[in-house]
């Protein structure tokens, strides 16, 4: 990544929080600059745009730097984008922003005249890990974000890959089962419908319904909310069903890893997001399945890892977009 400027603002726009921070050219967040505000989706587009600009401005102020030291604002957002026309086409959790030229709106709202780059949040996480995290120095990296859904980011030859229509790297919607369960995207059998945190919990409930014993079964039958974290904790305590379900999630992800090896041939396949809290139990299941299925040179020269930037990957990668001039610019 080359740039004369020493800092960029990264903003991570989520359905619940907007997080911002000032990031240096090595991908480090200036600690004093961290800002988090409520997204306030229900308050509408103008509110969110103003909150994004406000968070960016407060981050710069809190960092003790001047805007002259900052070469732009990178904004990571969920959704699908029209990169040619600078439009956020669709983000299910930010309905009021759909169809809007978000980068342009934020640029207009900022009190300072600076460039704004808009990029998909999973792409940001991929760029963040490749630039400043576990993939530092790697040319080719594939990243899966594991949360309520499964997102993806692909870095090829050191650059984020968008595809020809800007809708590439939707790794969660690769199909594992031709006649599988319905996915939120409208297709059937997608990875996301089997291996996201939401899908892992669903598979757990399905297994309990068939009568399989589990320490969490009574809670599940009583209608209590079961989370993927609870399944992991139960697995650690020796609950066999919880362990089986989690390892099955790992197997599905291992298949997806091999699909990516066969298509992209990356040096690093990285996972980030809440479900990486399941640690080695999940990672080993992913690796075992990938090792069984990888053809040609197998897993030689490939690292299958969890990211090291945690929840900061998206924010750091958003700032990275400013340095690499990636994303929709306004
Ligand atoms: Zn899908």
């Amino acid at each position: 990544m080359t740039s004369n400027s020493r800092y960029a603002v990264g903003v991570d726009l989520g359905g619940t929080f907007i997080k911002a921070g000032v990031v240096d050219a090595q991908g480090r967040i200036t600690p004093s600059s961290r800002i988090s505000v409520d997204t306030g989706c229900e308050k509408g587009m103008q509110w969110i745009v103003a909150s994004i600009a406000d968070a960016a401005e407060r981050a710069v102020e809190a960092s003790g730097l001047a805007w002259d030291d900052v070469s732009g604002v990178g904004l990571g957002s969920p959704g699908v984008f029209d990169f040619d026309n600078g439009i956020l086409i669709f983000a299910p959790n930010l309905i009021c922003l759909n169809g809007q030229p978000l980068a342009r709106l934020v640029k207009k709202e900022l009190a300072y005249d600076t460039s704004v780059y808009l990029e998909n949040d999973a792409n940001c996480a991929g760029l963040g890990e490749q630039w400043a995290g576990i993939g530092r120095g790697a040319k080719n990296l594939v990243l899966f974000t594991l949360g309520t859904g499964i997102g993806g980011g692909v870095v090829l030859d050191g650059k984020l890959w968008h595809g020809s229509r800007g809708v590439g790297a939707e790794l969660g919607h690769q199909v594992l089962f031709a006649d599988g369960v319905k996915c939120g995207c409208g297709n059937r059998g997608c990875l996301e419908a089997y291996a996201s945190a939401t899908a892992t919990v669903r598979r757990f409930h399905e297994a309990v319904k068939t009568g399989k014993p589990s320490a969490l079964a009574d809670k599940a039958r009583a209608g209590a909310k079961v989370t993927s974290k609870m399944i992991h904790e139960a697995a650690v305590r020796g609950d066999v069903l919880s362990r089986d379900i989690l390892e099955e999630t790992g197997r599905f992800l291992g298949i997806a890893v091999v699909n990516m090896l066969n298509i992209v041939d990356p040096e690093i396949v990285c996972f980030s997001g809440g479900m990486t809290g399941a640690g080695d139990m999940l990672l080993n299941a992913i690796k075992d399945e990938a090792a069984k299925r990888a053809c040609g040179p197998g897993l030689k020269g490939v690292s299958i890892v969890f990211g090291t930037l945690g929840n900061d990957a998206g924010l750091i990668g958003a700032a990275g977009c400013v340095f690499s001039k990636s994303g929709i610019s306004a």
Side-chain angles (χ1 to χ4, degrees):
M1 222 166 273
T2 56
S3 173
N4 295 326
S5 54
R6 293 178 298 137
Y7 298 94
V9 179
V11 181
D12 183 5
L13 171 62
T16 313
F17 296 109
I18 297 167
K19 293 179 195 159
V22 176
V23 177
D24 70 15
Q26 280 74 49
R28 295 172 301 212
I29 302 176
T30 306
S32 62
S33 72
R34 287 178 184 271
I35 299 289
S36 179
V37 297
D38 287 346
T39 307
C41 275
E42 68 289 351
K43 291 175 184 158
M45 178 193 84
Q46 193 49 45
W47 173 273
I48 297 179
V49 169
S51 298
I52 293 167
D54 181 53
E57 287 166 2
R58 282 168 53 198
V60 173
E61 197 182 324
S63 72
L65 296 160
W67 276 91
D68 284 348
D69 301 318
V70 174
S71 59
V73 175
L75 172 58
S77 164
V80 175
F81 306 94
D82 174 347
F83 281 87
D84 290 336
N85 297 303
I87 307 285
L88 170 57
I89 300 172
F90 180 67
N93 293 327
L94 299 164
I95 292 293
C96 66
L97 296 178
N98 292 354
Q100 298 295 333
L102 187 56
R104 247 181 289 157
L105 293 172
V106 171
K107 182 180 168 70
K108 239 167 80 181
E109 187 73 21
L110 283 166
Y112 303 88
D113 185 20
T114 191
S115 301
V116 176
Y117 296 83
L118 176 63
E119 182 56 84
N120 170 273
D121 55 0
N123 285 354
C124 286
L127 183 66
E129 289 289 353
Q130 185 266 345
W131 175 39
I134 188 88
R136 195 186 278 261
K139 278 171 75 178
N140 303 306
L141 171 144
V142 166
L143 173 131
F144 292 83
T145 58
L146 305 177
T148 52
I150 295 182
V154 174
V155 178
L156 294 181
D157 285 329
K159 288 197 177 123
L160 266 178
W161 179 76
H162 291 120
S164 52
R165 297 171 301 159
V167 294
E170 287 293 344
L171 308 188
H173 299 294
Q174 59 183 291
V175 174
L176 298 191
F177 302 102
D179 300 310
V181 298
K182 197 108 193 233
C183 177
C185 73
N187 201 346
R188 281 190 179 278
C190 296
L191 174 67
E192 177 170 297
Y194 285 86
S196 65
T198 314
T200 298
V201 171
R202 189 201 70 234
R203 289 183 4 254
F204 175 82
H205 281 295
E206 285 168 0
V208 167
K209 269 189 200 144
T210 66
K212 288 194 176 149
S214 163
L216 289 179
D218 286 346
K219 268 191 185 167
R221 281 194 208 96
K225 189 172 159 57
V226 173
T227 63
S228 61
K229 187 166 178 259
M230 286 163 65
I231 294 172
H232 173 238
E233 286 164 356
V236 169
R237 289 194 301 268
D239 186 58
V240 174
L241 179 63
S242 293
R243 189 175 185 108
D244 287 350
I245 292 290
L246 208 57
E247 287 182 345
E248 189 177 48
T249 297
R251 283 203 292 282
F252 293 142
L253 292 170
I255 294 171
V257 167
V258 172
N259 288 343
M260 297 316 297
L261 296 186
N262 291 338
I263 297 166
V264 175
D265 188 22
E267 302 139 83
I268 296 192
V269 180
C270 180
F271 292 87
S272 74
M275 272 195 72
T276 57
D280 282 348
M281 195 181 290
L282 181 64
L283 187 59
N284 289 338
I286 296 171
K287 285 181 180 173
D288 288 350
E289 190 67 21
K292 276 184 215 156
R293 291 176 182 265
C295 53
L299 297 182
K300 194 161 179 276
V302 182
S303 302
I304 300 172
V305 293
F306 287 165
T308 51
L309 300 180
N311 289 334
D312 290 334
L315 193 160
I316 291 171
C321 290
V322 177
F323 290 111
S324 70
K325 311 291 182 210
S326 175
I328 291 171
S329 61

